Amino acid sequence: MADQNQAYVDRDLSVLWHPCTQMKDHEQVPMIPIRHGHGVWLEDYAGRRYLDAISSWWVNLFGHSNPVINAALHEQLERLEHVILAGFTHEPAISLAERLLSLTPTGLARCFYADNGSSAIEVALKMSYHYWKNRGDTQKTRFITLTNSYHGETLGALALGDVAIYKQTYAPLLMDVISVPSPDCYYRDEGESWRDHTIKRFADMEAALTRHAGEICAVIIEPLVQCAGSMRMYDPIYLKLLRVACDRHHVHLIADEIAVGFGRTGTLFACEQADITPDMLCLSKGLTGGYLPLSAVLTREEIYQGFYDEYTTGKAFLHSHSYTGNALACTAALATLDIFEKQPVLERNRELAAYMGSAAARMAGHPHVAEIRQTGMILALEIVQDKRRRTAYPWQQRRGLRVYRHALENGMLLRPLGDVVYFMPPYVINSEEIDLMVDVAEQGIDLATMD
Ligand SMILES: *Cc1c(COP(=O)(O)O)cnc(C)c1O
């Protein structure tokens, strides 16, 4: 069996080019071919098991090979796999739109499908700009975004983001955006509450809106957690203040809940914690339970009506992707919503999150852990060189990669963001598995910070 594992690795490395990877790393870092996934566990061809502590890049909610989602897909497969969604429609796309609109904050009335997170961001950008243009507001051509934000890798989405390792290289290709300092509470003063820090940071947003509103289509934000930006977190009050300010300045509010939607932060959607409705809500990742690529942009009726006119007015939103509203993907999403409906998922997540928090709490005393932060089912450990001054290790030392390798050797998929080690497990994890996850991370951090 070990030979079979190696055979797949060899074949892979002679033909594939992997995402988000310096391929030369694989001269040292092992490639793991997965034969089988069940619940939180992945298994390779040599029979080695790995606990998927990051939900396979934040997409998986109810485990691999989930029986409910599997059964729904088998059934749908016998009926219809896919059909063009322009001029044609199908039951899963309709039901999913109905259910998403009834579950998301009130005021969202229309569902536009795309096929991945970045595409949903592109849709929201174009929709916002085009809405204002249709109204004759041709001055509005720009977007406000937060520092340390992440919205995807396509050029429009990348322009909105601010994570240097992904963005810097492509800077000459990207549209210009207005960047406002993030409320990121890692930078709060000693003794200052998340809320106070967050409120203080809103002054910059207010100033940017006051100064630029006339040329701004929308503000885009990741509610509560900037995930790819090292799992940095802030208080829900920011969203409340932003909603009021966007209304006052006639600017759209785009909520990118691609990573935080579907129960990750403790509520079904993060926006609920601020009791706000965005003008556009972008969903993907957990939308299909981690099964198939699909995304949706939900918006208000007024925005939809801004495009509704005679064809010859040129107001229509002529955006599309080939796999828009794919029937199998919509079916996986419906089965995912069934699980939320039939099982006390959010209640159980609250218990799991509390357990995870107390299991990780002992690392607060670690000489190289500057902060443990948590929002719902996301917990992050900030690894630093000097705890008192909070200075990071030189990035070239790649301490996080040492944690990654240690975890692999100990049956765990942890994939630190730089030197930030985090847990974002599927919701079907149990308390023993959480203990294991924290133990392996702790050993990994010990090893990675030894010298
Ligand atoms: C992952 C992610 C995206 C991009 O989604 P893809 O499906 O990877 O294109 C956008 N925004 C946020 C907040 C994300 O985490």
Side-chain angles (χ1 to χ4, degrees):
M1 288 242 282
D3 290 350
Q4 206 181 354
N5 226 38
Q6 192 54 47
Y8 279 118
V9 172
D10 294 343
R11 283 172 59 190
D12 176 290
L13 293 178
S14 58
V15 289
L16 262 76
W17 188 346
H18 286 263
C20 204
T21 300
Q22 170 48 266
M23 291 301 294
K24 193 169 195 301
D25 277 357
H26 283 298
E27 290 176 10
Q28 259 107 53
V29 178
M31 172 65 63
I32 316 288
I34 293 301
R35 184 178 74 94
H36 180 86
H38 190 80
V40 297
W41 294 98
L42 299 166
E43 193 178 317
D44 71 10
Y45 288 83
R48 278 185 299 259
R49 301 204 317 149
Y50 303 88
L51 195 160
D52 186 355
I54 60 155
S55 298
S56 284
W57 255 346
W58 324 339
V59 299
N60 192 287
L61 300 187
F62 300 115
H64 296 277
S65 232
N66 181 284
V68 175
I69 305 173
N70 283 4
L73 280 173
H74 276 294
E75 218 179 283
Q76 180 61 35
L77 203 46
E78 297 302 318
R79 277 198 296 270
L80 175 70
E81 77 302 332
H82 181 73
V83 65
I84 177 175
L85 204 70
F88 287 69
T89 192
H90 53 80
E91 192 277 330
I94 299 165
S95 294
L96 181 60
E98 289 170 348
R99 287 175 72 180
L100 288 174
L101 293 169
S102 75
L103 289 168
T104 47
T106 43
L108 297 172
R110 293 281 166 176
C111 174
F112 191 98
Y113 289 117
D115 52 16
N116 65 73
S118 301
S119 303
I121 298 297
E122 303 289 341
V123 166
L125 291 184
K126 287 173 68 179
M127 195 182 271
S128 174
Y129 161 77
H130 196 166
Y131 171 83
W132 296 116
K133 183 180 194 300
N134 281 351
R135 285 186 21 141
D137 242 322
T138 52
Q139 299 301 307
K140 285 182 175 291
T141 57
R142 303 183 73 192
F143 295 88
I144 293 181
T145 167
L146 293 178
T147 57
N148 192 48
S149 58
Y150 180 85
H151 298 288
E153 299 293 344
T154 54
L155 294 179
L158 194 61
L160 297 173
D162 182 46
V163 179
I165 53 164
Y166 307 130
K167 180 170 183 175
Q168 222 161 35
T169 307
Y170 307 100
L173 308 184
L174 304 176
M175 72 171 163
D176 185 35
V177 297
I178 295 166
S179 183
V180 168
S182 163
D184 180 355
C185 287
Y186 182 63
Y187 296 114
R188 70 195 184 280
D189 295 333
E190 216 176 307
E192 190 180 28
S193 71
W194 280 31
R195 190 180 155 92
D196 287 347
H197 176 79
T198 302
I199 292 172
K200 194 169 75 187
R201 292 267 42 115
F202 191 76
D204 289 318
M205 178 61 81
E206 183 62 56
L209 280 167
T210 302
R211 176 145 179 238
H212 296 287
E215 49 173 337
I216 299 299
C217 301
V219 176
I220 182 162
I221 188 165
E222 294 160 272
L224 304 188
V225 188
Q226 295 186 308
C227 292
S230 303
M231 302 292 167
R232 294 291 177 79
M233 302 171 184
Y234 58 89
D235 190 273
I237 187 75
Y238 199 86
L239 302 172
K240 249 194 197 342
L241 296 171
L242 183 59
R243 177 69 279 180
V244 173
C246 284
D247 285 342
R248 188 154 28 83
H249 290 288
H250 302 286
V251 162
H252 292 146
L253 170 52
I254 303 172
D256 175 356
E257 292 219 20
I258 289 166
V260 296
F262 300 99
R264 248 329 139 185
T265 65
T267 42
L268 191 55
F269 298 101
C271 283
E272 292 170 35
Q273 295 185 39
D275 198 20
I276 63 147
T277 302
D279 298 290
M280 286 141 206
L281 175 63
C282 300
L283 302 173
S284 189
K285 290 204 166 108
L287 172 61
T288 62
Y291 265 65
L292 286 158
L294 178 69
S295 60
V297 179
L298 309 187
T299 193
R300 294 184 297 105
E301 183 66 16
E302 183 194 338
I303 290 172
Y304 172 79
Q305 289 299 336
F307 294 79
Y308 197 91
D309 208 336
E310 298 300 329
Y311 185 81
T312 49
T313 60
K315 287 185 177 178
F317 192 51
L318 299 181
H319 186 103
S320 67
H321 297 284
S322 309
Y323 282 98
T324 291
N326 174 265
L328 291 171
C330 288
T331 298
L334 286 165
T336 300
L337 295 182
D338 285 344
I339 298 174
F340 275 105
E341 198 174 292
K342 295 191 180 116
Q343 298 175 22
V345 176
L346 297 177
E347 210 178 301
R348 191 176 128 81
N349 277 5
R350 271 193 284 280
E351 289 163 17
L352 287 172
Y355 191 86
M356 191 157 77
S358 50
R362 66 173 188 264
M363 274 189 277
H366 193 287
H368 293 282
V369 174
E371 182 179 71
I372 303 177
R373 52 179 174 269
Q374 182 177 15
T375 299
M377 289 294 282
I378 305 173
L379 189 145
L381 304 154
E382 186 89 24
I383 312 304
V384 294
Q385 183 165 34
D386 183 327
K387 185 164 173 162
R388 206 165 42 80
R389 294 197 187 84
R390 288 194 158 186
T391 37
Y393 282 106
W395 65 269
Q396 296 88 342
Q397 294 179 3
R398 306 181 76 184
R399 304 270 168 166
L401 185 61
R402 300 188 202 174
V403 178
Y404 174 76
R405 297 187 63 170
H406 172 81
L408 281 186
E409 283 158 18
N410 289 275
M412 180 96 29
L413 166 51
L414 281 174
R415 200 173 193 277
L417 293 154
D419 292 344
V420 172
V421 176
Y422 70 92
F423 308 124
M424 196 157 165
Y427 306 161
V428 293
I429 196 167
N430 64 34
S431 51
E432 292 96 81
E433 289 158 346
I434 289 175
D435 287 335
L436 181 66
M437 191 169 75
V438 173
D439 286 347
V440 170
E442 186 175 29
Q443 295 154 12
I445 292 167
D446 282 345
L447 282 172
T449 57
M450 243 171 27
D451 54 321

